[in-house]
Amino acid sequence: NAGVMQNPRHLVRRRGQEARLRCSPMKGHSHVYWYRQLPEEGLKFMVYLQKENIIDESGMPKERFSAEFPKEGPSILRIQQVVRGDSAAYFCASSPFVGGQDNSPLHFGNGTRLTVT
Amino acid sequence: TQLLEQSPQFLSIQEGENLTVYCNSSSVFSSLQWYRQEPGEGPVLLVTVVTGGEVKKLKRLTFQFGDARKDSSLHITAAQPGDTGLYLCAGAGETSGSRLTFGEGTQLTVNP
């Protein structure tokens, strides 16, 4: 039973390029969450999606960032025109139901480490 | 905005010692989770506490949720080098739905 799969593990982009981060949730999980972690900091919520729907994007920057979770295929976090401040580890998590509850823990992937040069 | 403050931020102890990590907030949470994160990996859930005053034990780890559901603690007895890692608390707010608020983490190092 594969866990949450994220790719690539490491991504290097130059300023102004686009970054596309992929997340395949655990089998049977229809809830996906994206978090960002800066060095020596906790995780900051970005967006919560269910299949084909964005449920909560209150943590997403208003510009350059977008996320989708199509009916088929992985969830994608897209960052356009990257800047150095976007350098961070981006983690995806999935849950079978609404996450954070006792019966629906979040399962995290191993993250994508984005470096903007 | 809900905030979770963890203390201490860094902790370095000798094998066999006991330690306690604290997670505090002025907000009430419907549930609180503790995760452990290794370098280069994602956080792994240790426990979820839901009821005020609840105590859960996981081998040498004891987790407690405050009576008012605003704070939590993690106590490790007889720490071992394998306990080394970043410990994160995360709260699910009563009004934030599934959005977890994470603390900044406690980096624990247990020296042999």
Side-chain angles (χ1 to χ4, degrees):
Chain A
N1 185 18
V4 177
M5 304 299 292
Q6 289 189 249
N7 66 82
R9 287 296 305 274
H10 300 275
L11 182 61
V12 179
R13 284 287 179 266
R14 292 182 178 176
R15 279 180 297 171
Q17 290 185 319
E18 178 180 288
R20 291 172 68 88
L21 288 61
R22 298 175 190 80
C23 169
S24 295
M26 285 184 70
K27 187 176 181 180
H29 288 193
S30 59
H31 300 251
V32 166
Y33 312 80
W34 286 92
Y35 286 81
R36 177 165 61 178
Q37 186 176 37
L38 294 171
E40 297 187 2
E41 290 191 13
L43 285 81
K44 297 291 190 285
F45 169 80
M46 298 182 74
V47 62
Y48 162 39
L49 311 102
Q50 292 180 28
K51 281 288 187 181
E52 300 185 273
N53 289 304
I54 296 174
I55 308 301
D56 181 352
E57 56 181 349
S58 58
M60 287 273 274
K62 293 290 186 283
E63 298 178 351
R64 303 188 297 107
F65 285 71
S66 62
E68 62 178 12
F69 189 16
K71 186 177 181 180
E72 301 290 338
S75 175
I76 305 288
L77 179 66
R78 181 183 179 202
I79 311 173
Q80 294 177 291
Q81 299 176 328
V82 296
V83 300
R84 287 204 173 129
D86 297 332
S87 295
Y90 292 83
F91 288 94
C92 170
S94 72
S95 65
F97 310 110
V98 175
Q101 308 306 314
D102 200 18
N103 65 342
S104 188
L106 295 186
H107 297 263
F108 281 86
N110 284 330
T112 292
R113 278 142 190 86
L114 172 65
T115 302
V116 180
T117 62
Chain B
T1 302
Q2 294 178 311
L3 293 174
L4 274 171
E5 295 185 354
Q6 280 188 244
S7 61
Q9 188 176 0
F10 298 96
L11 188 56
S12 180
I13 61 172
Q14 293 299 122
E15 182 175 2
E17 292 183 356
N18 302 331
L19 67 115
T20 302
V21 175
Y22 299 94
C23 180
N24 296 296
S25 177
S26 58
S27 303
V28 176
F29 291 97
S30 59
S31 67
L32 197 138
Q33 301 180 338
W34 283 91
Y35 291 82
R36 181 179 154 199
Q37 185 178 19
E38 303 272 7
E41 298 181 5
V44 176
L45 179 68
L46 296 174
V47 77
T48 300
V49 286
V50 179
T51 307
E54 183 177 3
V55 176
K56 281 190 174 180
K57 291 192 175 184
L58 186 65
K59 296 184 180 179
R60 292 177 293 101
L61 279 61
T62 302
F63 304 85
Q64 185 163 10
F65 201 12
D67 291 339
R69 292 184 289 135
K70 293 182 179 181
D71 54 85
S72 181
S73 63
L74 158 60
H75 182 79
I76 301 179
T77 303
Q80 299 176 1
D83 295 327
T84 294
L86 179 67
Y87 289 82
L88 296 160
C89 63
E94 293 190 318
T95 58
S96 62
S98 60
R99 185 173 72 249
L100 288 180
T101 298
F102 277 83
E104 299 295 313
T106 294
Q107 180 62 53
L108 171 65
T109 303
V110 182
N111 303 298

